[in-house]
Amino acid sequence: MKDKIPYKIYLNEDEMPTHWYNLRADMKNKPSPLLNPATGKPLKAGELTPIFCEELVKQELDDTTPFIEIPKEIRDFYKMYRPSPLVRAYCLEEALDTPAKIYYKFEGNNTSGSHKLNSAIAQAYYAKKQGLKGVTTETGAGQWGTALSMACAYLNLDCKVFMVKISYEQKPFRREVMRTYGASVVPSPSEATEVGRKILAEHPGTTGSLGCAISEAVEVAVKNPGYRYVLGSVLNQVLLHQSIIGLETKTALDKYDVKPDIIIGCAGGGSNLGGLIAPFMREKLRGEADYRIIAVEPASCPSFTRGTFAYDFADTGMICPLAKMYTLGSSFIPSANHAGGLRFHGMSTILSQLYHDGYMEAVAVEQTSVFEAAVQFARTEGILPAPESSHAIRTAIDEALKCKKTGEEKNIVFGLTGTGYFDLVAYQKYNDGTMTDEIPTDEEIAASIARLPKVDA
Ligand SMILES: *Cc1c(COP(=O)(O)O)cnc(C)c1O
């Protein structure tokens, strides 16, 4: 017999959060500050405003304000595709024959196909409010570039996207969606920037990385008046905006008095996971409740599980500020796996600190087992998941299968960050049996760690 919880828990518009929640306010050990790579000193707001919008710099540096009001214009935009449903995965539970109760928060119900739109609209809004002409950015898998293009089209802002070359080639249709929304899209590394030309000279034939594309986008923002750079993950401000995912999830679960035992999210730069866990981590930090929180990363780019907690550059070109995070080293170029959104060498400083302090766990999973989970999910729950999201599915299934052995009726919540319609090359490889698992050797990781910048802090 099914219990009373519906397949989909929808919230009403008036139950949507009015404020984002800033996890840092409740952290005893704050994430370490960004450093100026030239001086080794913490960056001041004035040093960041040539790169980022003013209001976003304020949010980036704000370690104390717990709740920040969501401007009405952004809330109105959110209403076009939010609140997003929290789904009880009855069909998957049945297929797994598990006593566990599985829930997923589905963020793929908008044209960008991912949670990235939650921060894209916020960042574009503040750029518009500052009177800027446009923004520059990088995109890996293409979801962030698409989300930003949508937000910029809505607000009439110019949008220049540097797209990691491997994704540009694997996902030509992504590029067309972005162009349809009015963005210009350049494969990275490109000849269009100084740093792009330098990277191409050093690594001819490289398939690119998020780190390279970030360097190019920052260079263009800094060199063009009226432009600023925006980033779709990793930054504190992005986790702040993504807290809407967790806040809605908590409101939905509270309606039915469900307390999660395990909360699972895939982790690229950490934004969806940081957003999903935000209100739960708040209770955990304040000693009000306890949850197991699991970050899932690809075995091909294992920042948490095999990286080092140290100051590093966010970009390959080494022009960005230094952030203290779990990193594989900014010179680490992961193999061309199919979860483009998880190919970043570093991790959010907030999540890095929380992981370091023992508030969360991390696991690394291999690509073929991720796709096995993706296919099982697609066949039972009906949604074609993004490869990134499927990392969370893999671990949710693994945890549900453990419950099957022990008979425990745990509540498992995971973030289903997006859909995989633009990832059919990856699905094709899996279906053809030609997908491989590329796992870096200890030597490869050590070589890149050896090149970490020397910082005393
Ligand atoms: C970008 C992306 C991710 C990974 O980014 P995070 O900042 O770690 O959330 C995960 N899933 C999808 C669908 C994405 O587009």
Side-chain angles (χ1 to χ4, degrees), residues 169-204:
E169 285 161 5
Q170 281 183 349
K171 302 185 177 185
F173 297 145
R174 270 269 174 225
R175 180 185 71 213
E176 286 323 306
V177 180
M178 288 185 251
R179 291 180 60 211
T180 303
Y181 280 97
S184 66
V185 188
V186 180
S188 167
S190 77
E191 296 284 348
T193 63
E194 224 169 276
V195 63
R197 290 189 291 273
K198 189 163 159 257
I199 291 167
L200 281 173
E202 276 175 30
H203 307 273

Short mmCIF file of all heavy atoms in Angstrom, two decimals, residues 169-204:
data_model
loop_
_atom_site.label_atom_id
_atom_site.label_comp_id
_atom_site.label_asym_id
_atom_site.label_seq_id
_atom_site.Cartn_x
_atom_site.Cartn_y
_atom_site.Cartn_z
N GLU A 169 32.02 20.58 -29.44
CA GLU A 169 31.99 19.60 -30.53
C GLU A 169 30.96 18.49 -30.27
O GLU A 169 30.26 18.06 -31.18
CB GLU A 169 33.39 18.99 -30.71
CG GLU A 169 34.31 19.99 -31.41
CD GLU A 169 35.79 19.68 -31.23
OE1 GLU A 169 36.12 18.64 -30.62
OE2 GLU A 169 36.61 20.51 -31.68
N GLN A 170 30.86 18.07 -28.99
CA GLN A 170 29.93 16.97 -28.69
C GLN A 170 28.47 17.42 -28.66
O GLN A 170 27.57 16.60 -28.76
CB GLN A 170 30.28 16.35 -27.33
CG GLN A 170 31.45 15.40 -27.38
CD GLN A 170 31.72 14.76 -26.01
OE1 GLN A 170 31.15 15.17 -25.01
NE2 GLN A 170 32.58 13.76 -26.00
N LYS A 171 28.26 18.70 -28.42
CA LYS A 171 26.90 19.18 -28.21
C LYS A 171 26.57 20.40 -29.07
O LYS A 171 26.30 21.49 -28.54
CB LYS A 171 26.70 19.55 -26.74
CG LYS A 171 26.96 18.41 -25.78
CD LYS A 171 26.62 18.89 -24.40
CE LYS A 171 26.77 17.80 -23.37
NZ LYS A 171 26.33 18.24 -22.06
N PRO A 172 26.61 20.22 -30.40
CA PRO A 172 26.35 21.38 -31.27
C PRO A 172 24.97 21.99 -31.06
O PRO A 172 24.78 23.18 -31.27
CB PRO A 172 26.48 20.80 -32.68
CG PRO A 172 26.30 19.33 -32.52
CD PRO A 172 26.82 18.99 -31.17
N PHE A 173 24.02 21.18 -30.63
CA PHE A 173 22.66 21.71 -30.47
C PHE A 173 22.56 22.65 -29.26
O PHE A 173 21.76 23.57 -29.25
CB PHE A 173 21.65 20.57 -30.36
CG PHE A 173 21.60 19.74 -31.62
CD1 PHE A 173 21.37 18.37 -31.55
CD2 PHE A 173 21.78 20.32 -32.87
CE1 PHE A 173 21.32 17.60 -32.71
CE2 PHE A 173 21.74 19.55 -34.04
CZ PHE A 173 21.52 18.19 -33.96
N ARG A 174 23.38 22.40 -28.25
CA ARG A 174 23.45 23.32 -27.11
C ARG A 174 23.80 24.73 -27.60
O ARG A 174 23.22 25.71 -27.20
CB ARG A 174 24.56 22.89 -26.15
CG ARG A 174 24.10 21.96 -25.11
CD ARG A 174 23.66 22.77 -23.87
NE ARG A 174 23.08 21.85 -22.92
CZ ARG A 174 21.95 22.06 -22.25
NH1 ARG A 174 21.27 23.17 -22.42
NH2 ARG A 174 21.50 21.18 -21.42
N ARG A 175 24.84 24.75 -28.45
CA ARG A 175 25.30 26.02 -28.99
C ARG A 175 24.15 26.74 -29.69
O ARG A 175 23.97 27.94 -29.55
CB ARG A 175 26.42 25.69 -29.98
CG ARG A 175 27.04 26.87 -30.65
CD ARG A 175 28.05 26.37 -31.68
NE ARG A 175 27.41 25.75 -32.83
CZ ARG A 175 27.91 24.73 -33.54
NH1 ARG A 175 29.06 24.19 -33.20
NH2 ARG A 175 27.27 24.24 -34.56
N GLU A 176 23.34 26.01 -30.44
CA GLU A 176 22.24 26.65 -31.17
C GLU A 176 21.17 27.18 -30.23
O GLU A 176 20.54 28.18 -30.52
CB GLU A 176 21.63 25.69 -32.19
CG GLU A 176 22.49 25.47 -33.43
CD GLU A 176 23.24 26.72 -33.91
OE1 GLU A 176 22.61 27.78 -34.14
OE2 GLU A 176 24.47 26.64 -34.05
N VAL A 177 20.95 26.49 -29.12
CA VAL A 177 19.98 27.02 -28.15
C VAL A 177 20.49 28.36 -27.64
O VAL A 177 19.76 29.36 -27.59
CB VAL A 177 19.73 26.05 -26.98
CG1 VAL A 177 18.71 26.65 -26.00
CG2 VAL A 177 19.24 24.71 -27.48
N MET A 178 21.77 28.40 -27.29
CA MET A 178 22.34 29.66 -26.77
C MET A 178 22.24 30.76 -27.80
O MET A 178 21.88 31.89 -27.48
CB MET A 178 23.81 29.45 -26.38
CG MET A 178 23.98 28.62 -25.13
SD MET A 178 25.71 28.52 -24.64
CE MET A 178 26.06 26.83 -25.02
N ARG A 179 22.56 30.44 -29.05
CA ARG A 179 22.49 31.46 -30.11
C ARG A 179 21.05 31.90 -30.33
O ARG A 179 20.78 33.07 -30.61
CB ARG A 179 23.12 30.93 -31.40
CG ARG A 179 24.63 30.76 -31.27
CD ARG A 179 25.27 30.23 -32.54
NE ARG A 179 25.05 31.11 -33.67
CZ ARG A 179 24.96 30.72 -34.93
NH1 ARG A 179 25.03 29.43 -35.22
NH2 ARG A 179 24.78 31.59 -35.89
N THR A 180 20.13 30.98 -30.19
CA THR A 180 18.71 31.33 -30.33
C THR A 180 18.30 32.35 -29.27
O THR A 180 17.52 33.26 -29.54
CB THR A 180 17.84 30.07 -30.24
OG1 THR A 180 18.28 29.16 -31.25
CG2 THR A 180 16.36 30.39 -30.43
N TYR A 181 18.89 32.20 -28.08
CA TYR A 181 18.61 33.17 -27.03
C TYR A 181 19.48 34.42 -27.16
O TYR A 181 19.49 35.27 -26.27
CB TYR A 181 18.77 32.53 -25.65
CG TYR A 181 17.55 31.71 -25.25
CD1 TYR A 181 17.52 30.33 -25.44
CD2 TYR A 181 16.42 32.33 -24.73
CE1 TYR A 181 16.39 29.60 -25.09
CE2 TYR A 181 15.29 31.61 -24.39
CZ TYR A 181 15.28 30.24 -24.57
OH TYR A 181 14.17 29.52 -24.23
N GLY A 182 20.26 34.49 -28.24
CA GLY A 182 20.97 35.74 -28.54
C GLY A 182 22.41 35.81 -28.07
O GLY A 182 23.05 36.85 -28.20
N ALA A 183 22.96 34.73 -27.52
CA ALA A 183 24.35 34.76 -27.04
C ALA A 183 25.32 34.51 -28.18
O ALA A 183 24.98 33.87 -29.16
CB ALA A 183 24.53 33.70 -25.95
N SER A 184 26.57 34.99 -28.05
CA SER A 184 27.63 34.57 -28.96
C SER A 184 28.43 33.48 -28.26
O SER A 184 28.69 33.55 -27.06
CB SER A 184 28.52 35.75 -29.35
OG SER A 184 29.22 36.22 -28.22
N VAL A 185 28.79 32.44 -29.02
CA VAL A 185 29.42 31.26 -28.42
C VAL A 185 30.74 30.96 -29.12
O VAL A 185 30.78 30.81 -30.34
CB VAL A 185 28.50 30.02 -28.54
CG1 VAL A 185 29.08 28.85 -27.75
CG2 VAL A 185 27.09 30.34 -28.06
N VAL A 186 31.85 30.90 -28.35
CA VAL A 186 33.18 30.66 -28.90
C VAL A 186 33.76 29.40 -28.26
O VAL A 186 33.71 29.27 -27.03
CB VAL A 186 34.11 31.86 -28.57
CG1 VAL A 186 35.50 31.65 -29.12
CG2 VAL A 186 33.51 33.16 -29.09
N PRO A 187 34.31 28.45 -29.08
CA PRO A 187 34.94 27.27 -28.46
C PRO A 187 36.24 27.65 -27.76
O PRO A 187 37.01 28.45 -28.28
CB PRO A 187 35.20 26.34 -29.65
CG PRO A 187 35.23 27.23 -30.85
CD PRO A 187 34.39 28.42 -30.54
N SER A 188 36.47 27.08 -26.58
CA SER A 188 37.65 27.43 -25.78
C SER A 188 38.54 26.21 -25.57
O SER A 188 38.04 25.14 -25.31
CB SER A 188 37.20 27.97 -24.42
OG SER A 188 38.28 28.04 -23.53
N PRO A 189 39.88 26.37 -25.63
CA PRO A 189 40.62 27.61 -25.82
C PRO A 189 40.48 28.16 -27.25
O PRO A 189 40.39 27.39 -28.20
CB PRO A 189 42.06 27.25 -25.51
CG PRO A 189 42.13 25.77 -25.49
CD PRO A 189 40.77 25.22 -25.35
N SER A 190 40.49 29.50 -27.34
CA SER A 190 40.30 30.15 -28.63
C SER A 190 41.49 31.06 -28.94
O SER A 190 42.31 31.35 -28.08
CB SER A 190 39.03 30.99 -28.59
OG SER A 190 39.27 32.18 -27.87
N GLU A 191 41.51 31.52 -30.17
CA GLU A 191 42.53 32.50 -30.58
C GLU A 191 42.09 33.91 -30.22
O GLU A 191 42.80 34.88 -30.46
CB GLU A 191 42.75 32.42 -32.10
CG GLU A 191 43.31 31.09 -32.60
CD GLU A 191 44.81 30.92 -32.32
OE1 GLU A 191 45.45 31.92 -31.95
OE2 GLU A 191 45.30 29.78 -32.44
N ALA A 192 40.88 34.03 -29.65
CA ALA A 192 40.30 35.36 -29.43
C ALA A 192 40.90 36.08 -28.22
O ALA A 192 40.71 37.27 -28.04
CB ALA A 192 38.78 35.25 -29.27
N THR A 193 41.59 35.35 -27.35
CA THR A 193 42.15 35.98 -26.15
C THR A 193 43.64 35.67 -26.04
O THR A 193 44.13 34.68 -26.60
CB THR A 193 41.48 35.45 -24.86
OG1 THR A 193 41.76 34.05 -24.76
CG2 THR A 193 39.97 35.66 -24.89
N GLU A 194 44.32 36.50 -25.25
CA GLU A 194 45.75 36.30 -25.01
C GLU A 194 45.97 34.95 -24.31
O GLU A 194 46.82 34.16 -24.71
CB GLU A 194 46.22 37.42 -24.09
CG GLU A 194 47.52 38.06 -24.48
CD GLU A 194 47.72 39.32 -23.66
OE1 GLU A 194 47.18 40.37 -24.04
OE2 GLU A 194 48.39 39.20 -22.62
N VAL A 195 45.17 34.72 -23.27
CA VAL A 195 45.36 33.50 -22.48
C VAL A 195 45.00 32.26 -23.31
O VAL A 195 45.67 31.23 -23.22
CB VAL A 195 44.60 33.58 -21.14
CG1 VAL A 195 43.11 33.69 -21.35
CG2 VAL A 195 44.90 32.39 -20.26
N GLY A 196 44.00 32.38 -24.18
CA GLY A 196 43.63 31.28 -25.06
C GLY A 196 44.77 30.91 -26.00
O GLY A 196 45.10 29.73 -26.17
N ARG A 197 45.39 31.94 -26.57
CA ARG A 197 46.52 31.69 -27.49
C ARG A 197 47.68 31.03 -26.75
O ARG A 197 48.34 30.13 -27.28
CB ARG A 197 46.95 33.02 -28.13
CG ARG A 197 45.92 33.57 -29.12
CD ARG A 197 46.44 34.77 -29.92
NE ARG A 197 46.62 35.97 -29.13
CZ ARG A 197 45.65 36.87 -28.90
NH1 ARG A 197 44.45 36.70 -29.43
NH2 ARG A 197 45.90 37.94 -28.17
N LYS A 198 47.90 31.45 -25.50
CA LYS A 198 48.99 30.88 -24.71
C LYS A 198 48.72 29.40 -24.41
O LYS A 198 49.61 28.54 -24.55
CB LYS A 198 49.12 31.68 -23.40
CG LYS A 198 50.33 31.34 -22.59
CD LYS A 198 50.61 32.43 -21.55
CE LYS A 198 51.47 31.89 -20.42
NZ LYS A 198 50.72 31.60 -19.19
N ILE A 199 47.49 29.10 -24.01
CA ILE A 199 47.15 27.70 -23.68
C ILE A 199 47.26 26.83 -24.94
O ILE A 199 47.77 25.71 -24.89
CB ILE A 199 45.73 27.63 -23.05
CG1 ILE A 199 45.74 28.26 -21.65
CG2 ILE A 199 45.25 26.18 -22.96
CD1 ILE A 199 44.37 28.53 -21.05
N LEU A 200 46.80 27.37 -26.06
CA LEU A 200 46.87 26.60 -27.32
C LEU A 200 48.33 26.32 -27.71
O LEU A 200 48.66 25.25 -28.22
CB LEU A 200 46.16 27.36 -28.44
CG LEU A 200 44.64 27.26 -28.45
CD1 LEU A 200 44.05 28.18 -29.51
CD2 LEU A 200 44.19 25.82 -28.69
N ALA A 201 49.21 27.29 -27.46
CA ALA A 201 50.62 27.09 -27.79
C ALA A 201 51.23 26.01 -26.90
O ALA A 201 52.02 25.19 -27.36
CB ALA A 201 51.37 28.42 -27.63
N GLU A 202 50.82 25.99 -25.61
CA GLU A 202 51.38 25.00 -24.67
C GLU A 202 50.78 23.61 -24.86
O GLU A 202 51.45 22.60 -24.68
CB GLU A 202 51.13 25.45 -23.23
CG GLU A 202 52.16 26.43 -22.71
CD GLU A 202 51.79 26.93 -21.31
OE1 GLU A 202 51.14 26.18 -20.54
OE2 GLU A 202 52.14 28.09 -21.00
N HIS A 203 49.47 23.56 -25.14
CA HIS A 203 48.78 22.27 -25.28
C HIS A 203 48.03 22.23 -26.60
O HIS A 203 46.81 22.33 -26.62
CB HIS A 203 47.75 22.05 -24.16
CG HIS A 203 48.29 22.21 -22.78
ND1 HIS A 203 48.88 21.18 -22.09
CD2 HIS A 203 48.33 23.29 -21.96
CE1 HIS A 203 49.26 21.61 -20.89
NE2 HIS A 203 48.93 22.89 -20.80
N PRO A 204 48.76 22.10 -27.73
CA PRO A 204 48.04 22.07 -29.01
C PRO A 204 47.09 20.87 -29.03
O PRO A 204 47.45 19.81 -28.51
CB PRO A 204 49.15 21.92 -30.06
CG PRO A 204 50.45 21.99 -29.33
CD PRO A 204 50.19 21.84 -27.87
#
